[in-house]
Amino acid sequence: MSTRRERGADGCADLVLVLPDAEQVCREARERFAGEARSAARERGTFRVALSGGSTPRRLYELLAELPAGEAPPAVPWSKVHFFWGDERLVPPDHEASNYRMAREALLSRLELAPEQVHRVPTELEPERCAQAYEQTLLRAFEGHVRFDLLLLGIGADGHTASLFPGSPALEERERLVAAVRAPGGGPDRVTLTLPAFETARCGFFLASGAEKAEAVRAALGGGDSPPPAGRVRLREGRLVWLLDRAAASRLPAPD
Ligand code: 6PG
């Protein structure tokens, strides 16, 4: 059973869906992903999705890999899907921390894809060169106007999303679509899409599960004056859907 909360345009969410647990979050996300892919392929001949990293989406990717190729439900027109990343750690593609590696293991390696459908972040380059190169990849792939059909996003306990961390100068970037950033607390440097790269998207899914995300989700959806990075993602014309399990939604006010 899920609870739907529709919010006005002033909030950062068009729909907040609360599901019983993390597995149901991923199953709901799978159905929605497949529906977005089918309609994009039908209407525009392609479906361009920015994948999220971290641990939450792995199960979603595994579930997606089970879906057959095709145009009708429950299938996905996999031959028309192009995969990008919302952020990446500057490690080799076979490194355990690589978002590319996680997606390849859970999903991409289980599909029949042409190499040109997978737009990996060139992490072999120095951070700034990598950001510049990935921005060029986006501009080429979108023929100059970057507009993702779907963003998959997560949220950290500190409210970060992609690799947009609280207080990061990259949060204030209004021109560039990709920025090189340092991860707080050490760890590998990263590149991340910036808010301008996100805000043109047609659709975005935030996936969050677990009580450790509850405060960050509350802060992101609370509509306050200084939301954390995840709460600053706004889609100018797109639909932003938050898919939460009960634990991650536990600090939200009861639905009206
Ligand atoms: C990354 C992700 C990051 C992630 C959050 C939540 O590269 O780590 O892009 O933004 O979505 O940190 O991560 P979990 O799903 O592991 O909690």
Side-chain angles (χ1 to χ4, degrees):
M1 203 280 281
S2 62
T3 310
R4 292 173 181 265
R5 294 183 174 104
E6 301 279 349
R7 289 175 189 276
D10 58 323
C12 72
D14 299 305
L15 175 65
V16 177
L17 203 55
V18 180
L19 294 121
D21 54 34
E23 177 72 10
Q24 292 309 313
V25 165
C26 290
R27 289 183 178 276
E28 177 75 19
R30 173 172 73 164
E31 299 323 304
R32 290 173 176 266
F33 179 110
E36 293 293 331
R38 289 191 298 267
S39 58
R42 190 172 52 248
E43 293 162 20
R44 294 181 294 278
T46 184
F47 176 65
R48 294 175 285 200
V49 56
L51 299 180
S52 172
S55 57
T56 301
R58 178 186 283 272
R59 180 59 180 148
L60 166 58
Y61 300 162
E62 291 168 350
L63 289 170
L64 284 169
E66 296 171 0
L67 293 180
E71 312 288 330
V76 174
W78 290 119
S79 65
K80 296 179 181 169
V81 180
H82 280 250
F83 296 92
F84 302 82
W85 276 261
D87 72 321
E88 185 56 282
R89 294 87 180 274
L90 286 165
V91 295
D94 58 355
H95 190 283
E96 64 180 4
S98 166
N99 290 339
Y100 165 81
R101 171 177 160 178
M102 187 271 277
R104 188 190 64 215
E105 289 176 348
L107 175 58
L108 306 182
S109 61
R110 298 163 66 184
L111 302 175
E112 288 184 20
L113 300 173
E116 60 269 19
Q117 289 181 257
V118 179
H119 306 269
R120 182 180 69 84
V121 179
T123 56
E124 55 279 9
L125 299 176
E126 290 303 307
E128 187 52 39
R129 279 283 303 118
C130 178
Q132 291 168 9
Y134 203 56
E135 180 152 343
Q136 290 307 311
T137 296
L138 296 180
L139 291 170
R140 273 195 308 276
F142 285 87
E143 296 170 348
H145 178 59
V146 174
R147 189 174 189 196
F148 285 99
D149 294 299
L150 179 61
L151 304 172
L152 295 180
L153 293 165
I155 181 171
D158 63 355
H160 81 263
T161 191
S163 287
L164 294 171
F165 293 97
S168 168
L171 276 168
E172 306 317 321
E173 177 60 56
R174 294 305 308 163
E175 300 299 327
R176 295 183 59 184
L177 301 176
V178 185
V181 300
R182 302 195 68 83
D189 288 342
R190 307 203 181 180
V191 296
T192 184
L193 268 58
T194 59
L195 293 177
F198 288 148
E199 64 190 20
T200 55
R202 289 183 169 85
C203 186
F205 297 165
F206 269 99
L207 273 64
S209 57
E212 71 279 9
K213 304 293 177 72
E215 177 50 30
V217 167
R218 185 205 61 75
L221 290 175
D225 294 340
S226 54
R232 292 185 55 183
V233 176
R234 293 284 193 284
L235 305 189
R236 282 208 294 264
E237 297 170 17
R239 180 171 168 80
L240 202 52
V241 181
W242 285 69
L243 298 169
L244 309 170
D245 71 356
R246 287 199 187 107
S250 59
R251 301 287 300 271
L252 291 178
D256 306 336

